[in-house]
Amino acid sequence: MGSSGFSWKLEDYSKLEKGKIIAMIVLDGWGEADPDQYNCIHVAETPVMDSLKKGVPDRWRLVRAHGKAVGLPTEDDMGNSEVGHNALGAGRIYAQGAKLVDLALASGKIYDGEGFSYIKESFETGTLHLIGLLSDGGVHSRLDQLQLLLKGASDRGAKRIRVHILTDGRDVLDGSSVGFVETLENDLSKLRETGVDAQIASGGGRMYVTMDRYENDWSVVKRGWDAQVLGEAPYKFRSALEAVKKLREGPKASDQYLPPFVIVDEDGKAVGPIVDGDAVVTINFRADRMTMLAKALEYENFDKFDRVRFPKIRYAGMLQYDGELKLPSRYLVSPPEIERTSGEYLTHNGVRTFACSETVKFGHVTFFWNGNRSGYFNADMEEYVEIPSDSGITFNEQPKMKAVEIAEKARDAILSRKFHQVRVNLPNGDMVGHTGDIEATVVACKAADEAVKIILDAIEQVGGIYVVTADHGNAEDMVKRNKKGEPLLDKAGKIQILTSHTLQPVPIAIGGPGLAPGVRFRKDVPEGGLANVAATVMNLHGFVAPSDYETTLIEVVDE
């Protein structure tokens, strides 16, 4: 029995046979949209995914992967890999990231918690530093949350505030940084009128400064550290607005890749380096691109780069970014408590599991899938394999990424017959889609399709079952559109590239020689989303999902 009186033992789903090998394939950033030249999935040669769509009726359908279906506040909130994999693994919908922060800000609860009380101790004599993505994209952070936090902190005694901005251009339009900086500068000006010394202290583009992830390139974090903590950067400006406008004039300049800059006073001195006695809050609610900075801010023993100075500060994250590492140890908003995930249930019921991806998405088929929990549930029952991602290049330079290597590891795991579930994430559509390079994204989609074939061929050999789905859209629509759905053009008449995720649904397909002939998708779950996939997969393993899980997508009919 579990601690709260429930049993880990799952009831058998007698209509389906136990013990079949199931391949669980997640295509990252692979949505379903109308076919046109900006739909890279449509343009690419994807015979395997095409055959799944056109194959057996009732074994392919769409599911929702954004908004309320994955625990986000509104239907205008695009899905992302973290909440998508949380939903896929947990089988239930939890209030997530932005929504958790919205609730805590709206209720004022954020100011009553231990995290805020901790940083507040620095308000009397120190500076409050806020570091994060300046954007209203709603994937990593939101401008309105920063505005509320600025007001809330100043109302509660913060006398000196410095904001360290990271420009976006990935989840929002490139060039929108200028407007966001103007808005923030206006807010800070109003705070100054009330006697609060508030200003922007440093900045840089998110993909070049601070926001690396999965320890892919520590030099990105170091560039941020030098500007934010040491007050040193190759570019110095008197205002952030001047900085962003000027740096955007450079050749091939974009919001994502702006170089680091610091704001200086009339004597050329940085206005806001982080020093002993200060408080720091990383304002992003999404974990993956704040974890590395959190380590640099929090860990005394740190060897990833020379920090030069390690100031004695009070540091809190907007949320806790890694529940297993307890990182950061202080945070303003408590994470959703995702317990009893499908992976945990399955290991308790004898289902041996293999999970694999490359570095940039490895955490998604392990940490996020398991309810924001690092490590194994049972090391004897599970094996996780990480394939190192390319580093030091943008993903459109090698759009095939490690798709084949991931697929070959999955194939070998399937053919070994050691595992009942083999789970992978193929990152190509998302990571290359984010670069905005349409030609490269077409190559990426073809590579992902070829990887799916390697895995499905192995499933064929062992008489297994496949489940192919995705976590959110991206590669299926690479252009900004007006309300009529027509591509938007810039002043020069060129199309405006879309680099963000989308609001599109994603496919799910089931099949394989091990699938009983009468299994089909139900017609009575039209609004099904990613959280319905867990119960579906449990059924395919021969078990009934717990009663509080979102309902299964499948039924078994007598043929």
Side-chain angles (χ1 to χ4, degrees), residues 300-446:
E300 193 137 351
N301 297 319
F302 178 88
D303 61 0
K304 303 302 182 183
F305 59 83
D306 181 4
R307 292 182 290 192
V308 184
R309 270 193 309 110
F310 179 47
K312 294 179 175 66
I313 57 168
R314 290 184 173 87
Y315 166 52
M318 182 68 96
L319 292 145
Q320 186 164 63
Y321 299 132
D322 189 324
E324 187 72 10
L325 294 175
K326 302 285 186 278
L327 182 76
S329 54
R330 318 265 182 164
Y331 40 90
L332 303 189
V333 181
S334 295
E337 292 181 14
I338 301 177
E339 29 83 66
R340 299 187 297 108
T341 63
S342 60
E344 191 169 9
Y345 268 111
L346 291 171
T347 57
H348 274 285
N349 285 272
V351 174
R352 300 178 68 86
T353 304
F354 176 90
C356 175
S357 189
E358 61 176 278
T359 307
V360 290
K361 296 291 180 179
F362 176 67
H364 295 77
V365 283
T366 54
F367 176 81
F368 292 107
W369 194 279
N370 291 338
N372 306 333
R373 179 189 185 281
S374 294
Y376 294 114
F377 292 117
N378 181 340
D380 296 332
M381 299 289 294
E382 298 171 277
E383 184 180 334
Y384 301 161
V385 173
E386 175 184 353
I387 295 166
S389 287
D390 295 318
S391 63
I393 61 166
T394 52
F395 289 105
N396 56 327
E397 292 177 51
Q398 294 283 355
K400 294 183 179 180
M401 298 181 66
K402 305 299 178 191
V404 168
E405 291 91 328
I406 294 165
E408 287 173 344
K409 290 284 185 198
R411 175 199 65 199
D412 295 347
I414 290 164
L415 297 181
S416 75
R417 300 177 189 260
K418 275 170 46 184
F419 304 97
H420 305 99
Q421 183 180 111
V422 173
R423 183 168 71 231
V424 300
N425 177 299
L426 299 169
N428 307 62
D430 189 48
M431 298 308 296
V432 185
H434 276 313
T435 68
D437 185 330
I438 289 180
E439 284 182 28
T441 307
V442 169
V443 175
C445 293
K446 182 173 190 278

Side-chain angles (χ1 to χ4, degrees), residues 23 93 182 228 237 323 366 385 431 442 447 470 481 488 509 550:
I93 300 167
E182 284 176 331
Q228 296 146 6
F237 294 92
T366 54
V385 173
M431 298 308 296
V442 169
R481 298 177 185 274
L488 285 171
E550 293 293 308

